[in-house]
Amino acid sequence: MSVRVVARIRPLLKAEIEKDTIVTAVSGDNDSTGLPTIVRIPNPKNENEDFSFHFNSVYDQGATQQDLFENEVSPTIKHLFNGLDVTIFAHGNTGCGKTHTMRGGKTLADRGMIPRLLSGIYRRSRKIEKDTKGESMVEVNMSYYEIYNDRVFDLFEGPEHRTMTGLHLRDNGGKTVVVGLTERPCESLKEFEKLYDEANMNRSTSATKLNAHSSRSHAVLCVKLVITTGDQTRTSTASAIDLAGSEDNRRTDNGKERLVESASINKSLFVLAQCVEAISKKQARIPYRESKMTRILSLGQNNGLTIMILNLAPVRSYHLDTISSLNFANRTKKIEVKEIENEPMFKGYPRSVPSTMGSSMHRQPLRPLATSTHNSIPRATDQPVKTSGKPGKTFSVYFDKSRPQQSVPSTNDRQSCVPRRSSPLKRPSDSYMSNPVRPAKMARQSPPVSERPQTAISKAAIEDIIEKKVTELLAARALDQTSVAAIPAISEEVQRRLDLLEQKIEGKDDQRAEGLTYLLMAKQHHVRGEDSSALRMYELAKQYFPDNTKLESKILNLQEKLKKRREIEDSTNSNFRAFGMSGAVESVTSHVTKINEGKADGNNSTDTDYHEEENDYQSDDGFRYKPKLNKARRIKVLPEVSSIEDEAQTPRTRRLLDIINTRDIEQIQLLKGIGGKKAEAIVASLCSGEEDADAERIIENLSQLGRLRGVGMKTVENMRSGLRGSSVDA
């Protein structure tokens, strides 16, 4: 059976319009199901010509997650319980909805293929256990990992537990396995959703110009199904793979880190395309090992069912990427896979291995090949034969180990013993096999049994022998200990290092590491100018380093610095409170009066008066300000702003107000803290605030100056401080 390819066209996004749609789903002529099976897309070089791609099924923009699951994924669950492996993977360029198809959303209708697949597995598991009345038990285990920058990382472990090289791949029985991968048991759908959501938090995702939540890695979820019925166990695996999409860096506007990720993603997808092309052309070498993703996926080598979900974007901006994905899918559907069920394993009691020594060995008698006349073996009657506990063999057995050398018997002994090697046609009869004691193949020269000396060892003699052996061993051990030279005493420096090493091994330096973390955060806050946050971090780190004088000096310096800053702020606030609010009230009253006058005389003012005033205004250097015409002017009532000095204006204040009221950009930009753009903004604010074309707006105090657009009280203070060296204050 070939790989089943299913195409899905995603709906339009908010920023996309319907007239840019170029990808359509069309039903075939010979299609009896009524579902579309053809994808049509125009030729990018000739709009009048359409390309057509035929797949197993095509789902348009209106298709739901439930439709895709019921028609494509749900039928594979019964094959999964029958022992077939199932592989489902999503392919397409970035921003086409692969992660949404596989993972889905949080609502019930938006759930993806993975949660729905697990829900179907649990439902069928409960049904099997109920129908068999508990004789069949189903166990579900899950493992989840990602391939990020061609390195494999376990998603059930946090980023702090990862190594630089990641996990390694090994081949086991024609399948690629990940060494050291965590496998979690899942007894219910609720437990699966909890583990799945926690693992997805560890997956590498980032925002690009084309996708706000772009996957930066290939995610592989393996669901291992173990069905136990009596002494029979059947294992099958369902793999759901969410591939990262290919990216065009000219469109995604990736930075340095994103470029590295994009290069790794595009390389693995390019190797996958090479593998598919090599399989379709039936080449001798298929480059599976050039990428870890292709090595794990192993298209064409895995046994079972394989479903490819091709995600497509319908708009014109993805035209070339869509054609590339369609060509890849068209080659993939020609790959043939074998539907081979996993063989069940039988569990039983271990078989007893018969002993090769002693007379207790029971051996099944062999059927005689000839008559009993050929099985007569002469026995010695004049001399007893030495018997051994090992029974004789009725056939020749090959041994790897070398046999011990035997002494050559004499001529008389040869006549009284069994021949060394008999003819294969002369096998002993069944009656002879029933006798457990048989003569050895070759007898050794030894005196009769009756003439051998019977040596009996008493219990006391055995104890004496044991005690002698123990004494010898203890004496030898004592000699070895005395020969060892005395170990010199360890110095204090070495002992201190050993203690630190033991603390690191036992995990006692966690508090010191936490204190160093606080110190690092304090330095970062101090560099950014956040002195209060830096002081807080130093105080938290002080409890881990109580006797550090350098740390205490830093805390004292920051406290004095913050204290001086508070004193300056308190003095400034006191000056603000000391100043009366009469200037602000007068300013607001003048604004309200101008608004009312503008409403009364609004019909009399014409655009020609405004343009005449515009033509009359011109600065010394030829700069000409053109105010922005507003049909309806809206004047906001500004909040009360306190001045920085008393009601009696000083010469410096009057000088500053005179410079502002001249509306000369060259003079204004010479003030402290004022550049060319801010000077233009001040003049624009003065001109835009004029309600009457014949009257110019005059700034009478610093509070009015601080309420101008782009000008605050801090800027006013800087402008006043810059006039200290002028001749007005002399």
Side-chain angles (χ1 to χ4, degrees):
M1 182 179 178
S2 60
V3 176
R4 183 175 179 84
V5 179
V6 179
R8 185 183 187 185
I9 305 173
R10 69 160 172 81
L12 295 174
L13 302 179
K14 294 181 179 179
E16 297 172 349
I17 56 179
E18 189 174 357
K19 68 178 183 179
D20 288 341
T21 303
I22 58 174
V23 183
T24 56
V26 183
S27 300
D29 297 336
N30 300 326
D31 192 2
S32 60
T33 60
L35 295 176
T37 57
I38 298 175
V39 176
R40 285 186 179 175
I41 184 172
N43 186 354
K45 297 182 180 180
N46 185 7
E47 293 291 337
N48 298 325
E49 180 184 1
D50 289 340
F51 291 149
S52 297
F53 297 88
H54 190 279
F55 301 113
N56 296 100
S57 297
V58 178
Y59 294 87
D60 56 6
Q61 302 180 22
T64 61
Q65 299 273 57
Q66 182 67 19
D67 297 337
L68 182 61
F69 175 76
E70 290 293 337
N71 297 330
E72 307 299 336
V73 182
S74 181
T76 62
I77 297 179
K78 62 180 181 180
H79 299 291
L80 182 64
F81 278 83
N82 291 333
L84 283 173
D85 292 339
V86 177
T87 302
I88 304 169
F89 68 97
H91 186 274
N93 54 313
T94 182
C96 289
K98 298 181 297 300
T99 303
H100 177 76
T101 300
M102 299 301 292
R103 188 194 305 179
K106 293 297 183 182
T107 61
L108 188 63
D110 289 340
R111 288 191 309 165
M113 299 301 105
I114 294 176
R116 293 176 188 270
L117 175 63
L118 267 296
S119 179
I121 289 174
Y122 285 119
R123 284 199 304 269
R124 194 172 184 88
S125 301
R126 289 193 296 267
K127 183 177 182 301
I128 291 175
E129 293 176 356
K130 183 178 179 182
D131 293 344
T132 58
K133 297 180 181 180
E135 294 181 0
S136 297
M137 301 298 296
V138 181
E139 182 181 354
V140 180
N141 298 322
M142 183 177 70
S143 58
Y144 196 21
Y145 58 94
E146 69 172 354
I147 306 172
Y148 176 72
N149 286 346
D150 208 29
R151 291 175 293 176
V152 180
F153 297 109
D154 192 351
L155 290 178
F156 284 140
E157 296 182 354
E160 64 274 5
H161 299 294
R162 295 180 177 179
T163 59
M164 294 297 294
T165 57
L167 303 178
H168 299 282
L169 302 181
R170 295 290 183 270
D171 292 331
N172 183 16
K175 295 183 179 180
T176 302
V177 295
V178 182
V179 181
L181 189 62
T182 304
E183 193 173 83
R184 300 284 182 89
C186 297
E187 299 180 356
S188 62
L189 183 62
K190 186 175 181 181
E191 185 177 355
F192 160 75
E193 291 176 350
K194 180 181 178 182
L195 289 174
Y196 189 57
D197 292 340
E198 291 177 357
N200 283 325
M201 296 295 293
N202 298 327
R203 188 181 177 187
S204 302
T205 57
S206 181
T208 63
K209 194 174 181 180
L210 297 181
N211 192 356
H213 301 281
S214 177
S215 301
R216 315 308 299 169
S217 63
H218 308 295
V220 182
L221 175 69
C222 296
V223 181
K224 185 179 180 182
L225 203 64
V226 181
I227 305 173
T228 305
T229 305
D231 59 347
Q232 179 180 351
T233 302
R234 188 186 296 272
T235 304
S236 56
T237 305
S239 301
I241 305 172
D242 179 18
L243 298 179
S246 59
E247 294 182 350
D248 186 357
N249 293 318
R250 295 170 297 181
R251 297 177 58 199
T252 54
D253 196 15
N254 289 331
K256 182 179 179 181
E257 185 177 358
R258 302 287 87 81
L259 282 174
V260 176
E261 298 170 350
S262 178
S264 178
I265 293 170
N266 291 339
K267 177 190 174 183
S268 60
L269 294 175
F270 177 71
V271 175
L272 178 61
Q274 283 184 325
C275 293
V276 171
E277 186 175 1
I279 295 172
S280 62
K281 292 182 179 180
K282 297 182 179 180
Q283 296 179 359
R285 179 185 178 274
I286 301 173
Y288 287 114
R289 290 181 172 268
E290 292 187 6
S291 175
K292 291 187 178 179
M293 186 266 289
T294 54
R295 188 177 175 186
I296 291 173
L297 188 58
S298 298
L299 275 178
Q301 287 188 338
N302 49 356
N303 300 326
L305 301 176
T306 304
I307 300 175
M308 171 183 172
I309 302 176
L310 177 64
N311 293 89
L312 302 174
V315 292
R316 189 178 299 275
S317 57
Y318 292 86
H319 198 167
L320 297 178
D321 295 332
T322 303
I323 291 178
S324 177
S325 299
L326 289 170
N327 289 327
F328 172 79
N330 196 36
R331 292 192 297 268
T332 304
K333 71 179 184 181
K334 301 176 184 178
I335 298 176
E336 297 289 337
V337 292
K338 301 176 183 178
E339 294 185 11
I340 301 177
E341 296 181 359
N342 296 325
E343 293 295 333
M345 296 180 294
F346 293 91
K347 293 183 179 179
Y349 296 102
R351 293 182 298 178
S352 59
V353 181
S355 175
T356 59
M357 299 297 293
S359 62
S360 63
M361 183 180 70
H362 300 284
R363 183 176 294 157
Q364 184 179 4
L366 298 176
R367 182 176 57 86
L369 297 178
T371 59
S372 60
T373 57
H374 299 286
N375 296 331
S376 59
I377 300 176
R379 289 176 175 269
T381 57
D382 56 346
Q383 185 177 0
V385 181
K386 178 184 176 182
T387 60
S388 62
K390 182 178 179 180
K393 297 179 181 179
T394 60
F395 52 89
S396 178
V397 179
Y398 175 76
F399 289 90
D400 292 335
K401 297 182 180 179
S402 60
R403 295 182 179 180
Q405 297 293 333
Q406 297 180 354
S407 60
V408 180
S410 62
T411 307
N412 297 330
D413 293 335
R414 285 200 190 102
Q415 295 176 358
S416 62
C417 296
V418 180
R420 181 178 179 84
R421 188 180 185 90
S422 62
S423 174
L425 298 177
K426 296 180 180 180
R427 295 186 179 180
S429 61
D430 295 342
S431 61
Y432 184 71
M433 283 294 297
S434 61
N435 186 13
V437 180
R438 298 181 61 184
K441 292 182 179 180
M442 303 199 59
R444 298 178 182 177
Q445 292 180 356
S446 59
V449 179
S450 59
E451 298 178 2
R452 290 181 183 176
Q454 299 292 335
T455 58
I457 302 176
S458 62
K459 185 177 180 181
I462 294 174
E463 291 180 355
D464 293 339
I465 293 172
I466 294 174
E467 185 177 359
K468 183 179 179 181
K469 288 288 185 183
V470 171
T471 305
E472 291 177 357
L473 291 174
L474 292 176
R477 187 176 299 175
L479 291 174
D480 293 340
Q481 290 179 356
T482 55
S483 61
V484 178
I487 301 175
I490 301 176
S491 62
E492 295 181 358
E493 181 67 21
V494 176
Q495 186 65 35
R496 186 177 64 83
R497 292 184 179 180
L498 290 175
D499 294 340
L500 291 176
L501 184 59
E502 289 180 358
Q503 290 179 1
K504 288 183 179 180
I505 295 174
E506 295 175 0
K508 294 181 180 180
D509 60 337
D510 293 341
Q511 294 183 354
R512 186 174 183 275
E514 189 174 356
L516 293 175
T517 304
Y518 285 131
L519 287 176
L520 179 61
M521 295 171 64
K523 290 181 180 179
Q524 292 175 352
H525 285 300
H526 186 65
V527 170
R528 290 196 295 264
E530 302 170 356
D531 295 336
S532 59
S533 300
L535 178 61
R536 193 179 303 112
M537 292 296 107
Y538 279 132
E539 290 176 349
L540 290 174
K542 184 179 179 181
Q543 59 183 346
Y544 300 101
F545 308 100
D547 300 331
N548 195 326
T549 57
K550 187 176 180 180
L551 180 60
E552 293 178 356
S553 62
K554 288 184 179 180
I555 293 174
L556 293 175
N557 293 335
L558 283 175
Q559 288 177 351
E560 293 178 358
K561 186 177 180 180
L562 291 174
K563 184 178 180 181
K564 291 180 181 179
R565 186 180 297 174
R566 292 193 195 97
E567 291 177 354
I568 295 173
E569 291 178 355
D570 293 341
S571 62
T572 306
N573 293 334
S574 62
N575 292 334
F576 285 171
R577 289 192 295 269
F579 178 67
M581 306 308 296
S582 61
V585 173
E586 291 176 0
S587 176
V588 173
T589 305
S590 62
H591 275 292
V592 174
T593 305
K594 290 182 180 181
I595 291 171
N596 296 331
E597 292 177 357
K599 290 181 179 180
D601 301 336
N603 298 328
N604 298 329
S605 61
T606 59
D607 294 338
T608 56
D609 298 335
Y610 183 85
H611 287 298
E612 288 175 1
E613 180 185 358
E614 178 187 350
N615 296 333
D616 294 336
Y617 176 77
Q618 190 171 2
S619 61
D620 297 337
D621 58 345
F623 174 81
R624 185 173 181 180
Y625 173 73
K626 295 183 179 180
K628 194 173 182 180
L629 298 178
N630 295 326
K631 294 182 180 179
R633 297 184 180 180
R634 294 177 296 177
I635 300 178
K636 298 181 181 179
V637 179
L638 301 176
E640 296 181 356
V641 181
S642 300
S643 178
I644 58 175
E645 62 177 1
D646 299 332
E647 295 181 0
Q649 295 182 355
T650 61
R652 186 186 306 127
T653 302
R654 289 196 299 270
R655 175 60 179 163
L656 176 60
L657 295 177
D658 292 342
I659 293 174
I660 296 298
N661 290 326
T662 57
R663 304 188 185 185
D664 190 355
I665 295 178
E666 290 186 350
Q667 295 185 22
I668 294 175
Q669 69 181 4
L670 293 177
L671 296 174
K672 184 180 179 181
I674 303 297
K677 291 185 178 180
K678 185 169 286 190
E680 295 176 4
I682 293 173
V683 175
S685 179
L686 290 173
C687 296
S688 62
E690 297 176 0
E691 299 294 334
D692 191 0
D694 296 333
E696 293 185 354
R697 183 179 177 183
I698 303 299
I699 302 300
E700 299 177 353
N701 49 39
L702 296 180
S703 61
Q704 295 181 4
L705 179 59
R707 287 196 300 271
L708 293 178
R709 183 180 301 174
V711 181
M713 297 308 298
K714 188 174 182 180
T715 306
V716 173
E717 178 63 20
N718 291 336
M719 290 190 291
R720 289 184 70 257
S721 62
L723 295 175
R724 290 184 178 179
S726 61
S727 59
V728 178
D729 297 333

